[in-house]
Amino acid sequence: MSSLFFSLLLGGLLLGVLGISLYMLYLDAVIRAEFDQKRWAMPAKVFARPLELFETMSLGADAFAQELKLLNYRDVNCPEAPPPVPSDKRSLRRKPKPAPPASCVPPPGSGASPDRAGSFARRGETFEVMTREFAFWDSTEPSRKIRLVFAGNILVELTSLDGQETPGLLRLDPPEIAGIYPAHYEDRILLKGKDLPPALVDTLLAVEDRSFFEHSGINPKGIFRAMVANLRAGRTVQGGSTLTQQLVKNLFLSNERTFTRKINEILMAILIDARYGKDDILEAYSNAIYLGQDGSRAIHGFGLASQFYFGEPMEDLDLHQIALLVGLIKGPSYYDPRRHPDRAKERRALVLDIMVEQNLISAEDAGVAKDMPLEVTDKVASGITAYPAFLDLVRRQLRQYYNAEDLVTEGLRVFTTLDPRVQAVAENTLINSLPVLEKSQRKARPLQGAAVVTDTQTGEVLAMVGDREPKRVGFNRAFDTKRPAGSLVKPVVYLTALEQPERYTLMSLLNDSPLVYTSGGQRWTPANYDKRYHGRVTLRDALARSYNIPVVRVGLDMGVINVVKMFQRLGLERDLKPYPSLLLGALDASPFEVAQVYASIAGNGFRMPLRAIREVTDTTGKSLQHYTLEVEKMVEPGPVYLVINAMQQVVKAGTASAMKSKLSPDLNIAGKTGTTDDYRDSWFAGFSGNRLTVVWLGRDDNKPTGLSGSSGALRVWMDLMAGLNLEPLDPPLPAGVEEIRVEPRSGLQVGQGCRSGQPVPFLAGSGPRGSTSCGGQSAARRSKPRETAPDASEDAGSAGGMSDFFRRLME
């Protein structure tokens, strides 16, 4: 019997050992398959455009200072620039912080000079800057020391101060604006082992795992010591986990407190220690440890935590800052320095005491560090990025070339077109304008809004706002809101007509009288916004004053299908039904889609797909994907020139004439207002010589706002554009276009030598066949339209139930 029992026991032990061995082999396979990948998984980093500096460029001293602040350059004359920790751990003594100057902008001849990359000194309108080295896709920009002198809003001098040749064009390192993260929203700034400051390594081991280099992944003495301490206290007061066990928890396991998870943690720690060297484990730990939360984004690793809490790279941190980061390991939420500063100081003090105990620093050094403020930065924005709408566009455009896995593991560097200064203007305008517009209504209505700003010459998206709270992560109204475009469709209708100069010119007289359209036994009677008729009006005036009946007549004459084709030629990549209701704005479009259509008009008929990305590189700076400027001529420049001229009349004398109170008439801006049924949507789209902006205002529940295009979106648009550096819209006369002086109301050519009349462009051979005398009285009397208020001519979207009629008609 005893022999049988012994055999069964031995067999059980053998089976147990076999089972454990097989399970260890399984865990080892998991580690080998995933350890390297997980510890080096790198989200794609997204950068804004780099600031390119050259003499005579339009840039003021204050704007340049804002750019440096965005890049976290340190002003050596400001108090928030403490000296870094010495790299030698034997010399950790902190010198007392010098008294800051009375001003961060000292007078000429005084103040400090920048002495390391990423720092600057300002003296009035003169800057000395030490730039950072940065690897772009085409070359590496070295670190330089330069002097910049501004006069008003012009950079008048760019001089090298370090013996290098003064560059004709200097690119600063671009600001990092976001990362594209895995599904669990982790982010990391990868640190190599050689990049870890000795002070950090010594402090980390002293606090978390003093026998790290002696144990084999687990420390039985540490576990036993922790058990005794916890039993005595009656609660968990001490942990026995090694750095290797903590690494396993961060890379492979959940936070659940179960016996099975603990066993897996121990076994995997032993396997990792056996397979990898201590330096590899320490490096992986430093990049994996959880140190805080930023909205939905988890802060992992000392590299990212250094930026998140202090806005500084790890190598620039001071003693008290390193102590705080190591202290946060015990409980990032409990010791959060922004939410619980007193707890954070207590924890930091305990870490400093341990450093004294381990002879890493002197008691005097610890005392100085304890007296230091926490010096954590203000939390600029919660969530994954400060630019959620723009990042959403970047993601969509990246999907054309990269799969989701590449974007969260390969460490791609995405260089975008975002201009942070333009973005700030767009955000602040929307934030400040909407409450004012709400108060202007008798019944306050909560408004929402969106804006898209592009460069007319390159098709680059410079700014995008998708919410009245621009930092809010969620629904992107700039891209996903599909609302009736209203009168924004009218320039497209007239452009279709102006392609046929034998039938239509800007001076063609259109019939603005009652219209009855019959189809399939159904009658439709469109009406003007002001419920009035204006007789015979020129095409240019009909667009400027946004009359409905003339555009319907023209669109029906040209064929709605041809208007649909024009939209598609201009870049609207969607199938549209050729219903006549389209002619009065029954076209659901997003602000981004409207911007694409208007960008082709602003581009003189050349379609340029709007792009948010310039270049994608790998971690070394090697170019992987170059997003070139794609240009395709879709409409001849002549007809486009004519419709732009008519859109300029919208601003000079039409529904957007209020713009003259905010922006100089010399800018010759072209634009179009849009309003839909019951004032549900308020639009304005317009462009100068270099900037195109589309603004939409409305409500998420699609209820009336009480705002027309002129009283709502136009006001926001004006305030936004007033904050940008605009160039006049003065396109050259295209080949095949001639200017003829005509009497503006009759469209007839005035005689030679007459001072009256206005210059109007015509395609060659399509000018007026008749003429009038210098006074033009008879022609003027015969065709003078009735007066109408500029804002009383917006369309009403579906124009008296038109869209419902045609929906029934097509069923």
Side-chain angles (χ1 to χ4, degrees):
M1 178 68 69
S2 59
S3 176
L4 177 62
F5 176 77
F6 178 78
S7 297
L8 291 173
L9 179 61
L10 181 61
L13 289 174
L14 290 174
L15 286 175
V17 170
L18 179 62
I20 293 176
S21 299
L22 291 174
Y23 188 62
M24 292 282 282
L25 288 174
Y26 162 74
L27 292 179
D28 186 59
V30 170
I31 291 172
R32 283 187 288 109
E34 299 188 37
F35 182 75
D36 285 331
Q37 178 182 358
K38 285 197 172 187
R39 68 179 173 136
W40 301 122
M42 289 290 293
K45 295 301 180 185
V46 184
F47 298 91
R49 62 92 184 99
L51 180 63
E52 297 179 333
L53 300 165
F54 57 91
E55 291 182 355
T56 74
M57 74 177 293
S58 179
L59 183 68
D62 290 341
F64 180 61
Q66 292 174 2
E67 293 276 355
L68 294 177
K69 182 178 180 181
L70 185 67
L71 288 168
N72 288 320
Y73 272 55
R74 302 164 63 133
D75 189 340
V76 297
N77 291 310
C78 282
E80 60 267 25
V85 165
S87 58
D88 185 354
K89 69 176 184 178
R90 294 168 297 179
S91 178
L92 290 173
R93 182 170 179 174
R94 165 74 182 252
K95 295 181 180 180
K97 181 183 291 187
S103 170
C104 287
V105 186
S110 64
S113 180
D115 57 357
R116 62 191 178 94
S119 62
F120 74 98
R122 179 179 182 181
R123 299 173 183 84
E125 291 198 316
T126 298
F127 290 77
E128 288 186 9
V129 183
M130 281 200 69
T131 67
R132 299 188 184 111
E133 178 179 307
F134 192 86
F136 289 95
W137 57 91
D138 53 356
S139 64
T140 296
E141 192 75 44
S143 176
R144 300 174 181 270
K145 186 172 183 178
I146 56 173
R147 179 173 63 241
L148 303 98
V149 181
F150 297 86
N153 289 320
I154 302 295
L155 174 57
V156 296
E157 181 186 333
L158 178 64
T159 306
S160 178
L161 300 178
D162 56 7
Q164 297 186 65
E165 182 180 354
T166 299
L169 178 71
L170 174 66
R171 286 184 295 186
L172 295 184
D173 50 306
E176 184 180 324
I177 59 172
I180 298 180
Y181 313 100
H184 49 294
Y185 295 114
E186 289 184 4
D187 186 17
R188 290 181 178 86
I189 294 178
L190 188 65
L191 294 176
K192 297 290 187 180
K194 61 182 178 60
D195 299 327
L196 297 174
L200 171 68
V201 174
D202 291 339
T203 305
L204 175 64
L205 297 181
V207 174
E208 294 293 326
D209 193 352
R210 297 176 191 176
S211 59
F212 174 73
F213 285 102
E214 285 77 43
H215 63 64
S216 300
I218 62 171
N219 184 2
K221 291 182 180 179
I223 296 174
F224 179 76
R225 184 170 56 250
M227 290 177 56
V228 172
N230 295 337
L231 287 173
R232 288 177 177 175
R235 56 189 178 90
T236 301
V237 296
Q238 185 175 332
S241 296
T242 64
L243 291 187
T244 315
Q245 289 175 264
Q246 294 179 40
L247 176 62
V248 168
K249 285 189 290 185
N250 275 275
L251 289 184
F252 299 101
L253 304 178
S254 66
N255 290 324
E256 61 178 349
R257 293 177 176 271
T258 64
F259 179 76
T260 301
R261 189 202 64 78
K262 193 66 177 179
I263 292 298
N264 282 332
E265 174 190 309
I266 291 174
L267 294 177
M268 295 179 84
I270 293 172
L271 289 170
I272 287 177
D273 193 88
R275 182 168 290 279
Y276 298 96
K278 292 291 185 179
D279 290 339
D280 289 335
I281 295 172
L282 186 61
E283 186 178 77
Y285 177 92
S286 298
N287 288 301
I289 187 63
Y290 173 69
L291 291 169
Q293 197 73 27
D294 178 24
S296 57
R297 177 179 68 153
I299 305 300
H300 284 261
F302 290 112
L304 181 62
S306 177
Q307 291 286 353
F308 178 64
Y309 289 112
F310 306 114
E312 299 284 354
M314 190 70 224
E315 63 268 19
D316 289 347
L317 294 192
D318 203 357
L319 170 61
H320 64 290
Q321 295 166 319
I322 287 177
L324 176 60
L325 289 185
V326 173
L328 286 174
I329 295 172
K330 183 175 177 63
S333 177
Y334 187 81
Y335 296 109
D336 187 332
R338 294 189 179 99
R339 296 171 54 199
H340 308 295
D342 291 338
R343 294 179 189 171
K345 286 185 177 180
E346 291 177 5
R347 179 63 182 166
R348 183 184 68 179
L350 177 60
V351 171
L352 290 167
D353 287 340
I354 293 175
M355 295 174 74
V356 174
E357 176 188 325
Q358 295 297 307
N359 295 318
L360 296 176
I361 59 174
S362 67
E364 182 183 1
D365 292 334
V368 172
K370 289 178 183 179
D371 291 337
M372 294 295 298
L374 291 173
E375 292 188 337
V376 293
T377 60
D378 293 331
K379 195 175 181 183
V380 177
S382 62
I384 298 172
T385 176
Y387 310 105
F390 185 84
L391 183 62
D392 181 44
L393 174 60
V394 170
R395 284 175 178 272
R396 297 178 195 228
Q397 295 191 350
L398 280 173
R399 289 180 193 141
Q400 300 174 30
Y401 300 97
Y402 300 96
N403 60 47
E405 185 68 16
D406 291 338
L407 297 178
V408 299
T409 61
E410 298 301 320
L412 301 179
R413 304 167 84 197
V414 182
F415 295 91
T416 75
T417 61
L418 180 79
D419 187 315
R421 284 187 289 142
V422 176
Q423 178 73 24
V425 171
E427 291 179 0
N428 292 333
T429 300
L430 216 61
I431 290 170
N432 297 328
S433 297
L434 265 58
V436 175
L437 291 173
E438 288 170 345
K439 292 179 181 178
S440 69
Q441 304 301 306
R442 293 181 180 178
K443 184 181 292 186
R445 299 176 175 91
L447 287 172
Q448 264 297 349
V452 179
V453 185
T454 73
D455 187 310
T456 61
Q457 300 167 20
T458 64
E460 293 184 340
V461 180
L462 306 179
M464 177 179 280
V465 182
D467 194 290
R468 67 178 294 161
E469 296 182 22
K471 308 301 183 187
R472 181 188 295 169
V473 178
F475 186 62
N476 182 0
R477 292 164 188 80
F479 210 95
D480 294 320
T481 288
K482 299 290 195 298
R483 294 296 184 96
S487 287
L488 296 186
V489 306
K490 290 176 179 174
V492 180
V493 177
Y494 286 126
L495 178 58
T496 308
L498 291 168
E499 279 195 308
Q500 300 189 24
E502 69 281 2
R503 300 174 64 184
Y504 290 99
T505 71
L506 291 180
M507 290 294 106
S508 293
L509 289 175
L510 307 180
N511 185 4
D512 185 16
S513 62
L515 170 65
V516 178
Y517 180 77
T518 303
S519 178
Q522 299 289 334
R523 290 162 53 91
W524 169 46
T525 56
N528 286 323
Y529 187 79
D530 60 358
K531 308 303 180 184
R532 299 167 61 189
Y533 304 102
H534 308 89
R536 301 180 72 193
V537 296
T538 65
L539 184 152
R540 189 168 73 164
D541 280 348
L543 177 59
R545 300 179 185 277
S546 201
Y547 296 149
N548 286 340
I549 295 176
V551 78
V552 171
R553 291 186 189 276
V554 171
L556 292 174
D557 183 40
M558 298 306 301
V560 182
I561 187 63
N562 291 317
V563 176
V564 168
K565 291 178 180 178
M566 178 60 75
F567 269 108
Q568 292 169 341
R569 288 161 64 188
L570 295 176
L572 187 63
E573 297 178 347
R574 233 169 352 107
D575 291 332
L576 300 175
K577 300 297 183 181
Y579 300 156
S581 57
L582 176 75
L583 303 174
L584 290 184
L587 160 66
D588 291 342
S590 70
F592 184 81
E593 288 176 316
V594 171
Q596 179 64 78
V597 170
Y598 272 67
S600 298
I601 297 176
N604 298 312
F606 289 85
R607 185 173 68 190
M608 295 178 290
L610 298 182
R611 59 195 179 108
I613 305 171
R614 289 183 175 178
E615 198 86 21
V616 177
T617 75
D618 62 15
T619 54
T620 66
K622 179 183 178 182
S623 181
L624 300 177
Q625 183 68 44
H626 180 61
Y627 289 70
T628 57
L629 175 62
E630 299 177 2
V631 178
E632 184 178 5
K633 186 169 75 172
M634 304 304 296
V635 187
E636 291 296 327
V640 177
Y641 185 88
L642 302 187
V643 85
I644 290 176
N645 180 273
M647 293 171 68
Q648 289 173 321
Q649 291 299 311
V650 173
V651 175
K652 292 178 180 177
T655 57
S657 58
M659 191 183 300
K660 290 179 287 189
S661 65
K662 179 73 67 169
L663 298 171
S664 170
D666 295 336
L667 290 171
N668 297 322
I669 286 172
K672 188 68 191 75
T673 51
T675 311
T676 59
D677 269 346
D678 299 325
Y679 300 98
R680 285 186 171 88
D681 302 281
S682 174
W683 290 91
F684 191 80
F687 49 92
S688 67
N690 62 330
R691 297 289 179 261
L692 162 69
T693 296
V694 175
V695 172
W696 167 84
L697 302 180
R699 294 183 58 179
D700 285 341
D701 59 10
N702 201 29
K703 291 183 178 180
T705 65
L707 298 170
S708 67
S710 299
S711 63
L714 174 61
R715 295 187 182 183
V716 177
W717 190 95
M718 290 189 301
D719 289 340
L720 195 163
M721 292 288 270
L724 306 182
N725 180 30
L726 302 181
E727 297 175 3
L729 176 60
D730 190 19
L733 206 66
V737 175
E738 57 184 349
E739 282 193 341
I740 301 174
R741 296 190 70 85
V742 301
E743 199 283 319
R745 287 171 291 185
S746 67
L748 297 176
Q749 183 174 354
V750 298
Q752 292 184 353
C754 294
R755 295 184 178 180
S756 61
Q758 295 179 0
V760 176
F762 293 85
L763 296 185
S766 66
R769 295 177 182 175
S771 61
T772 183
S773 62
C774 289
Q777 292 299 315
S778 59
R781 282 195 299 269
R782 286 197 300 269
S783 61
K784 181 178 179 181
R786 287 181 289 175
E787 297 293 330
T788 180
D791 194 33
S793 54
E794 293 284 357
D795 67 272
S798 59
M802 176 185 61
S803 59
D804 290 337
F805 162 70
F806 278 99
R807 188 178 301 111
R808 293 195 302 271
L809 181 65
M810 297 297 173
E811 287 177 351

